[in-house]
Amino acid sequence: MKAKVFLVSMFLFLLTCAAPAAAQPPDLPQAISLRSPTRAFNEVYYFAIHDGLIYIKERVNGASWQLLGDSGSPENLLGTPITSDAMEEISVDGPILIAVSETRQIYYCKNGYAAPGAISWTDHWGTPLGAGQGVSLPEDIRGWALSQDDLLRNRFYYDQNGNAYPCMVTTIYALFENGREIHFTDPWTPPDWGYRIAGPFRDRFIAESLSAAASTLFVINRFGDMYTHQNDFDIGGGNPFFNYTYEDDVHYDTNDAILNFSLVRKRRVPDQVWYNQPKIHGRITKNITIFFPEDGAPGESDRILRVEGVSEEGIPGYFEKNLEGLFWHFVETPGRIIPEEDFIDNPPENMSHLTLGEAPEYTFPGTMTNLIFGAVEAELTDFSLVASPANLRLKTEDGTWIDLKLHHHFTLRNTPREHPGEDGDYVDLKGAIEIPAALRASEDKAVTDLLRHYFYVGKGEEKRFAKVSIKAKTDSVTLQTTSLSMKMAFSAESTR
C-alpha cells in the first residue's frame, strides 16, 4: 500500500514539474483611485496592464489580482484570444472597456461588468452598426479617454433647456499633440478621428491632459486651470434621427426621458461653453480623472473630479470634488510615488490666457440670393470648421450692414475622413442663422424688407432661427435654408 502511495505521489510531482507554471499576479496596487494609460476602474473591478497583459481585480475585500480571461489578452465569446499583440493601454467607463495594443489597434468590450472569464472583446468599430473594419489610436496624442453614457447608470441627460433625454453613447476622445484639438470616434460613425469638439476659448485652449466619463470631458493646462464640458455625437447634434434646435425656450410639461425620446421632440444643440472649475490651492500634477460614482443619481451633474497632488505635509494623494461642487478636499494615498516631472505650476489666479494657441478662423466675402429678390452682399467672419457661432453680415438696400449669427454643428458622415473640410473637400454641417431681437423689432424699412424677403420674418415676429444646411472647407462656404428659398455662397476668391 505504501508503495502505491509513493508511486502516485511521484506521478503527481512529475506532472506538476512538467506542467507550465501559472502566471503569478504582479505586484499591483491594492486599489486604483486615478485613471492612467495602464490603470482603470469601473463600479465592479480594477483593471491594470502589466507586461502586455490585462489584469483584473474585483472591488471587494479580500479580492486579488488575476489575469483577465485565460490569457490576459482580448478574447472572444469562446475564450479564444483574438490577437497575439501585447496590450499597452486601457480605458474603462461603466461596462465598456477599451484596450490598445502595441500596434495601436483598438479592442472593444461591451460587457465589462461580467465575471472575469466571461468578458468578451471585438476589434470591430465603426459603420455599419458597430461592425466596421476597426480603428487605431493615433500616434501623436497627449492622451485619450473612453466615455460611456448609458441607460444602466446615468440613464438620461438634460439638454440646456432642461429637457431629459435617454443616453446610449460610447465615445473615445483623443487630445492631439498640439494640446488644442480634441477628436473623437464613436462605434456607429465611420471608423476615423475626423469628428471634433471645440475646446475652451473657441478651440484655442492648450491642455496638458484629458479625462472623460459619461460624455463629460475634463481638461487641465500647465497652470492648473481646469474646464469641463458635456458633449458627444448625439448630444452635439450628429444623430440624423433626432430633431435638434438652437431655440432656448423649448420646454415640455411631461419632462420624461422616455417620452422625450420621441423623434419629434426637439433637443437643444449645446453651446460650446466650457465650465471653469475652481482652482485647487495646493501642489498638483497634470494627472486628472473624472468618473460616474457607483451611487450616482441619473442626470448630467453627478460626476466626480480627481486631481493628483500632495497635501501640505507632502503626503501623496488626490484632490476631489463633485462636478458642480465649489470646494476640493484632499484624500491621502500613502506610499504612492509621484514622478517629479508630473507636477505643474499652480498659481492661485487663472492663467488660461497664457495657454491659448492659434485656431484657424476664416473671413469670406460672398452673396445671399433667392429667385425673386436677387443678390445681397454678405460677409462671413470668424468662421471655424469646429467652433461656433460665426458672424454673418448682410448689406441692406440702403447700404447699411446688419449682423447675425451663423451656428453650426457636425452631422453624420458616410465615409471615413481624418480631416473633413481641411482635406480639400467640403464637409457637411447642420446649423441655423440667428436673427437678433433688435433686428426683428427694427423700424428700418430696409432691414425689415431684407428679413421678410429672405427669411420670411415680418416686423416683430418671433422667428429667431432659420435652419440651414452648410457645406464648408477652408476656402469656401455655401449654405441654404431647408426650404431652399435662400442660398449663400462665400469664398476666399470672391470679389464684390
Side-chain angles (χ1 to χ4, degrees):
M1 182 68 179
K2 290 182 178 179
K4 288 183 178 180
V5 172
F6 173 76
L7 289 173
V8 171
S9 299
M10 286 297 295
F11 178 71
L12 293 174
F13 173 74
L14 291 172
L15 279 179
T16 303
C17 292
Q24 295 297 311
D27 185 19
L28 293 170
Q30 289 298 308
I32 295 172
S33 53
L34 291 161
R35 290 168 171 164
S36 75
T38 59
R39 301 287 186 269
F41 59 85
N42 62 15
E43 297 85 350
V44 181
Y45 297 112
Y46 297 119
F47 299 88
I49 289 183
H50 181 79
D51 285 343
L53 300 176
I54 304 172
Y55 287 83
I56 188 171
K57 177 185 176 183
E58 194 172 357
R59 295 181 62 175
V60 296
N61 292 333
S64 58
W65 287 98
Q66 64 184 83
L67 280 175
L68 178 60
D70 293 329
S71 64
S73 294
E75 299 172 349
N76 61 22
L77 285 169
L78 300 177
T80 304
I82 60 176
T83 178
S84 59
D85 291 343
M87 296 298 110
E88 289 192 342
E89 299 185 26
I90 192 167
S91 187
V92 177
D93 193 23
I96 307 299
L97 284 59
I98 295 292
V100 179
S101 74
E102 59 188 337
T103 62
R104 310 296 281 176
Q105 178 66 39
I106 283 175
Y107 294 90
Y108 174 34
C109 163
K110 296 183 181 181
N111 62 339
Y113 290 150
I119 291 177
S120 60
W121 301 75
T122 180
D123 59 359
H124 293 289
W125 183 276
T127 51
L129 305 177
Q133 63 187 13
V135 69
S136 297
L137 190 68
E139 290 280 355
D140 298 325
I141 59 175
R142 294 194 179 192
W144 66 282
L146 166 69
S147 160
Q148 172 66 11
D149 223 1
D150 57 63
L151 296 175
L152 292 175
R153 303 181 308 157
N154 200 30
R155 291 172 48 196
F156 58 85
Y157 79 95
Y158 292 105
D159 72 0
Q160 289 184 319
N161 287 334
N163 299 314
Y165 297 92
C167 45
M168 299 172 286
V169 182
T170 301
T171 312
I172 306 175
Y173 305 95
L175 178 65
F176 273 39
E177 183 60 32
N178 59 20
R180 186 180 56 76
E181 296 180 23
I182 299 172
H183 295 242
F184 73 92
T185 185
D186 177 302
W188 285 52
T189 63
D192 61 32
W193 294 92
Y195 284 103
R196 287 183 55 192
I197 289 173
F201 297 94
R202 287 184 62 87
D203 208 36
R204 296 178 59 203
F205 184 80
I206 299 175
E208 294 297 309
S209 54
L210 168 148
S211 183
S215 295
T216 305
L217 295 98
F218 180 27
V219 295
I220 187 170
N221 69 359
R222 62 188 177 93
F223 294 114
D225 302 311
M226 297 165 286
Y227 294 85
T228 54
H229 176 67
Q230 187 182 35
N231 213 332
D232 60 31
F233 186 75
D234 282 8
I235 293 173
N239 194 317
F241 296 104
F242 295 153
N243 186 13
Y244 294 101
T245 184
Y246 286 94
E247 300 167 19
D248 58 9
D249 57 354
V250 177
H251 305 285
Y252 297 110
D253 294 334
T254 54
N255 192 14
D256 179 271
I258 301 303
L259 290 177
N260 288 353
F261 192 64
S262 161
L263 304 186
V264 177
R265 292 198 167 183
K266 298 178 180 179
R267 301 171 180 234
R268 183 177 170 189
V269 179
D271 59 34
Q272 296 185 346
V273 172
W274 286 67
Y275 295 95
N276 186 197
Q277 294 293 333
K279 292 282 286 194
I280 293 173
H281 301 293
R283 194 164 183 239
I284 61 173
T285 77
K286 62 183 179 182
N287 301 323
I288 58 177
T289 293
I290 181 173
F291 65 97
F292 187 87
E294 56 185 301
D295 59 349
E300 68 177 58
S301 62
D302 216 345
R303 313 281 191 277
I304 302 298
L305 307 181
R306 287 178 178 171
V307 181
E308 184 182 47
V310 295
S311 68
E312 292 182 356
E313 296 77 23
I315 300 172
Y318 56 86
F319 295 87
E320 178 182 280
K321 78 174 191 70
N322 187 275
L323 177 68
E324 296 185 348
L326 298 177
F327 304 103
W328 297 87
H329 67 274
F330 187 78
V331 179
E332 296 181 357
T333 56
R336 180 181 178 87
I337 299 175
I338 303 177
E340 188 63 30
E341 60 268 21
D342 285 357
F343 285 97
I344 57 177
D345 292 335
N346 186 32
E349 63 273 16
N350 189 302
M351 306 293 287
S352 297
H353 62 285
L354 296 181
T355 57
L356 299 183
E358 292 297 324
E361 293 191 347
Y362 307 98
T363 294
F364 300 125
T367 57
M368 175 176 68
T369 61
N370 72 13
L371 292 176
I372 300 174
F373 296 101
V376 168
E377 285 190 39
E379 184 179 54
L380 193 60
T381 66
D382 301 326
F383 179 80
S384 163
L385 291 169
V386 182
S388 174
N391 294 314
L392 173 61
R393 306 185 71 228
L394 301 175
K395 192 175 184 180
T396 65
E397 191 176 28
D398 65 2
T400 302
W401 287 88
I402 60 174
D403 294 307
L404 300 84
K405 296 289 185 185
L406 174 63
H407 300 267
H408 66 76
H409 59 270
F410 47 72
T411 189
L412 182 64
R413 287 184 283 106
N414 295 318
T415 56
R417 292 174 66 183
E418 294 300 332
H419 303 284
E422 298 176 337
D423 54 9
D425 292 329
Y426 286 104
V427 60
D428 289 321
L429 304 170
K430 295 294 185 181
I433 295 172
E434 180 180 1
I435 306 167
L439 291 181
R440 301 197 307 271
S442 175
E443 300 286 344
D444 187 325
K445 183 178 184 300
V447 172
T448 57
D449 283 349
L450 185 147
L451 296 180
R452 186 175 69 256
H453 294 163
Y454 293 88
F455 299 101
Y456 301 112
V457 176
K459 178 185 171 184
E461 289 186 2
E462 291 302 314
K463 183 180 177 183
R464 179 178 169 190
F465 292 96
K467 285 190 173 183
V468 292
S469 297
I470 305 167
K471 290 183 176 294
K473 55 181 181 174
T474 56
D475 60 1
S476 62
V477 176
T478 64
L479 60 90
Q480 61 186 26
T481 55
T482 52
S483 64
L484 306 182
S485 61
M486 180 274 291
K487 297 181 180 181
M488 294 189 191
F490 302 91
S491 172
E493 299 179 354
S494 294
T495 58
R496 294 199 178 115

